[in-house]
Amino acid sequence: MIPHGVAEMAFPTLFKPIDLPKHPAPNDAEHKAVLTCLGEFLGGETPMPQRRSTRSAITSEVANRQMRTMLAAFVKLHQHKCMCIPASVKYQLATLPIGNYWGIYLAAQNSVLLLHRESGQATVAMVWEVQASNDQITGETESPKQSIPRAAVRVEDWGKRIQEGALQSFSELLADLAGNEREKAQPTAHKAGQQQNETREVINANLFGVEYLLCVLGGEPLTAEDSVMRKGLHKKQCDEVQYESSELPWRRAPVWAAVKTLAHAVCLQCQDNSGTTT
């Protein structure tokens, strides 16, 4: 059972509000409330799937299982506000089964990392931004478009890196990127004759959440012809509400955008190469 206060806090994010909520900007309490609701949902009983041998039915069951497993790990990893504990990151990565997916929300970089362990050695890393900038939202008549993944690489020696202990430093890096902003990634604005950080703007995900992270991982960049990229999606970013006479949009909790896009990406990646969708 979800406490009433938690449900009330999460409601504007889970269901777009008609009226402006009492809390005008996402906060840690809302972040926790959203994950609490998601954890309650994942902890509930799931209906037994009907035994069907069709290819689409089997694909759907695989996608559903992969999404639930990935999201359950996500909730455990992000339960401490937007901070991630390096030891927890390392444990989940070290125990990621072959064929499964793992996602992390790098809140301080406005980006998401999704890993797919394709085999004992090879792992695919996919990244994309979570929220669009204020200018993109207010300056266009239509919602900004989002490409998922924005970029991806295939790391062929992933298993070797785990065995050689490189996972510790990578886990610490991810935890650091999740909780600490980088100076060059923070947008600035001219205020009172000086350049100051614009705290009402989202972080530029291109610098550290996309290019830098993939460079650290190394691996072979995936082209548009690769099956991972062909199974990607292009969607509208509809996680904000614009009110009449308001200069800036009201935004839903960004962790919810991370959850939705992660689940959607895993669902599409689980389709087979013949194009059978889930």
Side-chain angles (χ1 to χ4, degrees):
M1 178 68 68
I2 301 175
H4 175 71
V6 172
E8 185 179 15
M9 178 66 70
F11 189 87
T13 282
L14 300 180
F15 308 95
K16 265 189 175 181
I18 298 177
D19 299 319
L20 187 66
K22 295 179 181 178
H23 50 287
N27 51 43
D28 292 337
E30 188 175 0
H31 172 102
K32 184 177 181 180
V34 169
L35 292 184
T36 298
C37 292
L38 177 59
E40 186 74 15
F41 168 77
L42 294 172
E45 295 184 2
T46 56
M48 291 296 293
Q50 298 181 357
R51 293 200 173 275
R52 296 174 293 175
S53 58
T54 63
R55 185 164 56 185
S56 61
I58 295 174
T59 303
S60 296
E61 291 177 14
V62 170
N64 181 58
R65 183 173 64 251
Q66 289 283 10
M67 284 190 292
R68 292 184 68 90
T69 302
M70 182 273 296
L71 290 176
F74 183 92
V75 171
K76 290 181 181 179
L77 185 65
H78 295 81
Q79 58 187 341
H80 300 287
K81 300 181 180 179
C82 292
M83 304 294 290
C84 294
I85 300 174
S88 299
V89 176
K90 180 182 179 181
Y91 174 77
Q92 290 192 0
L93 289 177
T95 57
L96 180 65
I98 296 174
N100 280 28
Y101 295 82
W102 180 85
I104 183 172
Y105 169 42
L106 305 174
Q109 312 307 323
N110 183 32
S111 58
V112 161
L113 169 67
L114 176 64
L115 299 179
H116 177 211
R117 192 167 186 187
E118 292 183 321
S119 65
Q121 291 298 327
T123 291
V124 170
M126 296 164 268
V127 292
W128 60 88
E129 73 281 355
V130 174
Q131 290 187 311
S133 67
N134 291 331
D135 288 340
Q136 287 178 290
I137 296 172
T138 58
E140 302 290 340
T141 55
E142 296 184 357
S143 298
K145 303 298 191 298
Q146 184 179 32
S147 296
I148 301 173
R150 173 80 172 274
V153 296
R154 179 172 284 108
V155 183
E156 297 288 357
D157 60 345
W158 180 263
K160 182 179 179 181
R161 294 187 187 189
I162 293 178
Q163 295 174 357
E164 293 181 350
L167 202 57
Q168 177 64 36
S169 57
F170 183 57
S171 301
E172 292 176 355
L173 172 64
L174 289 180
D176 183 42
L177 290 175
N180 298 303
E181 296 178 358
R182 295 298 188 272
E183 183 179 355
K184 293 183 179 180
Q186 175 66 57
T188 60
H190 198 70
K191 302 177 182 178
Q194 297 180 341
Q195 285 293 119
Q196 301 180 19
N197 288 343
E198 179 51 89
T199 56
R200 298 174 299 176
E201 182 60 279
V202 298
I203 296 295
N204 181 358
N206 293 332
L207 295 178
F208 294 94
V210 178
E211 281 102 356
Y212 173 72
L213 185 56
L214 293 186
C215 287
V216 170
L217 279 169
E220 183 69 24
L222 301 187
T223 65
E225 289 73 29
D226 191 279
S227 62
V228 171
M229 303 303 288
R230 286 192 286 107
K231 293 177 184 178
L233 63 140
H234 303 276
K235 62 183 290 292
K236 292 182 179 180
Q237 289 177 287
C238 298
D239 292 296
E240 69 289 326
V241 179
Q242 295 190 61
Y243 290 89
E244 186 178 356
S245 73
S246 64
E247 295 183 359
L248 298 173
W250 176 85
R251 296 176 182 272
R252 300 157 103 176
V255 68
W256 183 236
V259 166
K260 290 192 302 177
T261 53
L262 278 168
H264 200 166
V266 170
C267 180
L268 291 180
Q269 291 297 324
C270 285
Q271 67 182 351
D272 60 32
N273 291 325
S274 67
T276 299
T277 54
T278 55

